[in-house]
Amino acid sequence: MQDFSTVLGNMVKSIVDNPDKVVVTEHIEGDEVLLTLNVAEEDMGMVIGKRGKIAKAIRTIMKTVAKFDDKKVTVEIK
């Protein structure tokens, strides 16, 4: 089983200016996983990207990783 919060955290830490402020919480219910991503306010633009392209890419990568474990992943960015 993958540790989804670690995968997401490492990915986001590599693109932000304040990696120490990246916090990922994970809530698992059956085959569904809810990941809540919190970043520093000044890093929010880097995580979302223009027109949400980076946020969409992050969600796509996490959904692909989750398929290996037959899970459904939802990523919330706060």
Side-chain angles (χ1 to χ4, degrees):
M1 180 176 180
Q2 298 284 335
D3 185 8
F4 301 112
S5 59
T6 302
V7 173
L8 179 60
N10 289 338
M11 184 172 32
V12 172
K13 286 177 182 179
S14 69
I15 63 171
V16 296
D17 289 333
N18 301 298
D20 55 315
K21 293 187 179 178
V22 173
V23 178
V24 180
T25 55
E26 182 176 83
H27 178 73
I28 301 173
E29 192 170 310
D31 67 342
E32 296 186 17
V33 180
L34 172 63
L35 298 172
T36 305
L37 172 65
N38 292 295
V39 297
E41 194 168 326
E42 57 269 17
D43 289 332
M44 191 62 75
M46 283 186 258
V47 173
I48 295 174
K50 286 187 179 180
R51 297 183 184 156
K53 286 185 179 181
I54 294 175
K56 184 176 180 181
I58 289 170
R59 288 183 175 112
T60 300
I61 291 168
M62 292 308 301
K63 286 179 183 182
T64 302
V65 169
K67 282 187 179 184
F68 289 107
D69 289 339
D70 291 324
K71 301 283 185 182
K72 296 177 184 174
V73 171
T74 303
V75 178
E76 286 185 1
I77 302 171
K78 294 187 177 186

